[in-house]
Amino acid sequence: MKENAVTGGRPLIGVSTYLDSSVSWGVWHLPAALLPAGYPRLVRAAGGLTAMVPPDDPAHAAEVVARLDGVVVAGGPDVAPERYGAAREDRTGPPAPERDAWELALIEAALSSGTPLLGICRGMQLMNVALGGTLIQHMDGHTEGIGAFGTHTVKPVPGTLYESIVPDASTDVPTYHHQAVDRLGRDLVVSAYAEDGTIEAVELPGPPWALGVQWHPEMGEDTRVMAALVRAAS
């Protein structure tokens, strides 16, 4: 039994991180595991505690997940198209093989153990790939430009987990992506769409609790999606 279930304390939410070969801060210029501050801020606002989970040996993923109450697979670089059997297109970003392997293992471990799982942007795309789905490698209109988040409207699918969390007829969300779900992975259902028809949220219909959103809730003020994960992790 995980400690949170015994103590009743705030659930520990593990958030995956970037792994960058060259980062500068202060007098230092070193490799670093990075997590934008919006993630722990959102987890804290939703009532949880944050643990950074940098890339590691995928064989250790189940051991790591066993010590967490919930898992967030964060946004980041494009998923390698080789992971879903596609040829690389010109506008697909450079690969991040360590992160792909580690986060796919985290997803598998979370689903196998029933640990609540939230995928954000890349994390949602990886959930789809982990379950045998594919991705659109490039699309326009879901950013404001390089390094600038955009905003667009998403609409929930009635009767879904996402609609139970965010029952608004439509919600404006912060967005920054140029890839999206193409063929849906096994057992996943679509739970929100953008106005242009892009799949904006996916979920598994029964236990385990697993939801992916294409936007970036850590860049906004709406805590409802993260709060739902924290409740599930409690």
Side-chain angles (χ1 to χ4, degrees):
M1 182 178 291
K2 296 182 182 181
E3 185 178 355
N4 177 62
V6 175
T7 65
R10 289 185 291 168
L12 183 63
I13 307 300
V15 185
S16 67
T17 77
Y18 290 77
L19 186 63
D20 199 303
S21 61
S22 181
V23 177
S24 296
W25 72 99
V27 299
W28 304 106
H29 192 79
L30 294 168
L34 298 176
L35 183 65
Y39 289 98
R41 184 168 56 241
L42 182 62
V43 172
R44 183 170 60 248
L49 300 172
T50 306
M52 290 174 61
V53 185
D56 203 329
D57 184 339
H60 299 157
E63 183 179 358
V64 170
V65 170
R67 301 183 186 192
L68 300 170
D69 299 305
V71 174
V72 175
V73 180
D78 293 346
V79 180
E82 294 81 5
R83 293 281 180 182
Y84 48 93
R88 179 172 294 274
E89 298 178 3
D90 290 343
R91 289 182 285 187
T92 297
E98 289 179 282
R99 191 166 173 192
D100 282 356
W102 173 242
E103 291 178 343
L104 285 166
L106 285 179
I107 290 168
E108 180 180 353
L111 294 178
S112 295
S113 64
T115 303
L117 171 67
L118 174 63
I120 292 177
C121 197
R122 163 190 163 87
M124 171 180 139
Q125 295 166 6
L126 262 180
M127 286 173 60
N128 190 58
V129 170
L131 293 169
T134 63
L135 302 179
I136 299 166
Q137 290 190 48
H138 181 77
M139 58 185 298
D140 294 313
H142 286 246
T143 73
E144 287 297 317
I146 296 174
F149 283 84
T151 301
H152 67 237
T153 300
V154 299
K155 297 182 178 182
V157 173
T160 59
L161 170 64
Y162 174 69
E163 193 227 12
S164 75
I165 298 166
V166 184
D168 309 14
S170 63
T171 307
D172 290 338
V173 297
T175 182
Y176 188 88
H177 68 98
H178 81 117
Q179 299 198 329
V181 167
D182 187 9
R183 187 183 73 240
L184 205 60
R186 64 183 177 276
D187 299 329
L188 287 171
V189 297
V190 178
S191 47
Y193 289 97
E195 291 181 317
D196 65 2
T198 301
I199 294 172
E200 288 285 331
V202 297
E203 61 190 54
L204 288 173
W209 194 102
L211 173 67
V213 297
Q214 184 58 72
W215 63 91
H216 284 267
E218 82 282 0
M219 296 303 297
E221 301 300 322
D222 191 335
T223 63
R224 287 178 289 181
V225 167
M226 186 64 74
L229 173 73
V230 170
R231 286 194 300 271
S234 299

